[in-house]
Amino acid sequence: MPRVLITGAAGFLGSHLCDRFMAEGFEVLGMDNLITGNMENLEHLLGNPNFTFYNNDVSNFVHVSGKLDYILHFASPASPIDYLKIPIQTLKVSSLGTHNLLGLALNKKARILVASTSEIYGDPKVHPQTEDYFGNVNPVGPRGVYDEAKRFMESMTMAYHTYHGLETRIARIFNTYGPRMRLNDGRVLPAFIGQALRGEDLTIFGDGSQTRSFCYVDDLVEGIYRLLLSDHAQPVNIGNPNEITIGEFAEEIIKLTGTSQKVIYQPRPVDDPMQRKPDITKAKELLDWQPEVLRAEGLKKTYEWFQSLPEEKLYRKEHRDFADFRRK
Ligand code: NAD
Ligand code: UDP
């Protein structure tokens, strides 16, 4: 039975990846320090003999006994308000954490896939973004802690590939959404749906003309799975090229939820990218992959999941208390 270690397992994407690898007949080791994740995302797997959970901060040290065939490094805060609150942890997990996991992969002769991001393109001057674009990142701006750590992660991963001959894969993930997103993580989809469900106005940052391209989680997981099993070490964009303005997106959520609330405008965050859309030519050619789920369908499934949450979660407006982690 192939054995895979998934970091960030209790998070949104990590937990869906655990499900997929379990379904494919892997033994799955999930690792997470729960800084932004939630054990509820993994509850259904606990007790399954093919699943083990390790509560561990991968920035400090990573050890697992026995063989490992694959590692997926998905641990990292991923929402702008998370990484603004815990900037040092964010820098550490994609730099020191990545180094630890590359070392483990080398030691175990495992193939490793790292979760990079469209944020490495910063506020892009090339549109849509192709993998050969180097990006436009402000290293000392508020988003720099995430963007630069992910850029370092790519660089370190490539160095292990060229210098040590390690089998590595780099996925550049664009905005992904679906069930198990944290309602209060600040990302635009849970923010809008949460506001609609609570009967609040939807907060658009800026004038709403900035664009994003949203990929449903099942499509993302399929792309990651195919990339892992491919033989392509260069970065590959995984995302949905269907681009939409945030203003239009708010209108879609209003229609979907039937809320009678309106939109209100708030200041745009510093360095918030103006446009984002993946060029997925490479993924199509190399992996024979492209997204299948239409936004209307994906949003409906996601909304139904949010609707099924207990009422008290809806009103738990307070963001995570990171105090314990900040000391580390
Ligand atoms: P998430 O916050 O739901 O999950 C991240 C998980 O990593 C959490 O469970 C958190 O507790 C864990 N974690 C953080 N630091 C850790 C550490 N030091 N040690 C162990 N665990 C740690 O976020 P997500 O949306 O699931 O994102 C997962 C990965 O995908 C991240 O690396 C993110 O950068 C990347 N990504 C996500 C998106 C997206 O749209 N969701 C887009 C681009 C890239
Ligand atoms: N956004 C918004 N209202 C919100 C949350 C986000 O208008 O309540 C905007 C944000 O400014 C950005 C876009 O939605 O332009 C996507 O933001 P998100 O934090 O989801 O992801 P990212 O900026 O990392 O793509």
Side-chain angles (χ1 to χ4, degrees):
M1 184 179 255
R3 228 169 164 233
V4 59
L5 170 68
I6 301 179
T7 75
F12 163 49
L13 297 183
S15 63
H16 283 282
L17 286 163
C18 288
D19 287 346
R20 174 64 185 264
F21 281 85
M22 291 291 288
E24 296 285 347
F26 283 67
E27 181 184 349
V28 176
L29 315 180
M31 189 175 283
D32 206 295
N33 68 348
L34 304 178
I35 190 165
T36 61
N38 192 335
M39 276 313 281
E40 284 171 15
N41 292 334
L42 293 175
E43 247 162 23
H44 58 290
L45 296 179
L46 300 177
N48 187 315
N50 294 332
F51 182 78
T52 314
F53 180 73
Y54 296 89
N55 187 333
N56 181 45
D57 183 338
V58 300
S59 302
N60 293 337
F61 183 71
V62 187
H63 171 76
V64 293
S65 44
K67 75 152 186 170
L68 269 186
D69 302 292
Y70 301 101
I71 298 174
L72 298 167
H73 181 28
F74 275 68
S76 169
S79 123
I81 66 164
D82 282 347
Y83 53 77
L84 290 183
K85 287 197 172 190
I86 40 172
I88 314 282
Q89 300 285 343
T90 302
L91 278 157
K92 282 168 73 176
V93 70
S94 289
S95 55
L96 308 183
T98 299
H99 191 206
N100 288 338
L101 289 154
L102 287 165
L104 180 70
L106 196 61
N107 181 255
K108 301 281 185 186
K109 297 186 173 55
R111 180 181 298 176
I112 179 168
L113 181 149
V114 295
S116 187
T117 163
S118 51
E119 277 283 319
I120 65 102
Y121 299 121
D123 190 5
K125 304 285 180 218
V126 167
H127 195 73
Q129 292 78 56
T130 45
E131 287 88 347
D132 57 6
Y133 176 48
F134 296 159
N136 176 36
V137 169
N138 174 6
V140 294
R143 300 173 87 102
V145 295
Y146 181 69
D147 304 4
E148 293 295 1
K150 290 288 187 180
R151 289 169 71 94
F152 175 91
M153 176 170 91
E154 288 198 8
S155 195
M156 189 63 139
T157 301
M158 197 47 75
Y160 265 68
H161 176 67
T162 51
Y163 184 75
H164 287 303
L166 186 69
E167 286 193 38
T168 57
R169 306 287 178 265
I170 299 172
R172 288 191 182 150
I173 302 169
F174 284 65
N175 296 62
T176 303
Y177 69 98
R180 300 188 195 155
M181 291 186 97
R182 215 171 70 236
L183 201 52
N184 56 1
D185 84 354
R187 286 185 271 195
V188 66
L189 179 131
F192 284 173
I193 290 188
Q195 287 160 344
L197 286 172
R198 290 189 298 267
E200 298 167 359
D201 290 336
L202 275 61
T203 51
I204 291 184
F205 298 162
D207 65 3
S209 64
Q210 70 271 36
T211 69
R212 292 295 186 271
S213 306
F214 297 98
C215 184
Y216 188 63
V217 62
D218 290 358
D219 283 331
L220 185 277
V221 166
E222 181 64 32
I224 297 295
Y225 190 74
R226 289 188 190 204
L227 178 59
L228 180 71
L229 299 184
S230 78
D231 58 4
H232 194 74
Q234 293 297 320
V236 179
N237 288 341
I238 306 282
N240 190 324
N242 191 345
E243 187 182 12
I244 183 174
T245 69
I246 294 302
E248 289 162 346
F249 191 59
E251 290 307 322
E252 285 191 1
I253 301 291
I254 287 173
K255 218 168 136 195
L256 172 75
T257 58
T259 175
S260 49
Q261 302 300 130
K262 55 183 191 318
V263 299
I264 51 170
Y265 294 89
Q266 293 184 353
R268 200 144 146 253
V270 177
D271 294 336
D272 189 36
M274 195 56 213
Q275 51 182 0
R276 193 183 277 158
K277 168 182 174 163
D279 180 314
I280 59 164
T281 311
K282 251 178 116 171
K284 277 185 186 161
E285 283 172 3
L286 296 168
L287 314 176
D288 190 24
W289 173 87
Q290 63 179 357
E292 304 289 344
V293 181
L294 294 175
R295 197 170 52 247
E297 194 188 328
L299 285 181
K300 189 166 170 286
K301 285 187 191 171
T302 309
Y303 179 50
E304 282 166 3
W305 182 80
F306 278 117
Q307 277 181 307
S308 75
L309 292 177
E311 181 103 351
E312 57 103 6
K313 277 203 168 173
L314 210 54
Y315 289 92
R316 200 190 295 158
K317 286 178 86 174
E318 178 31 35
H319 194 254
R320 296 240 145 170
D321 180 5
F322 290 123
D324 281 353
F325 291 95
R326 224 174 273 137
R327 281 195 291 277
K328 286 181 189 157

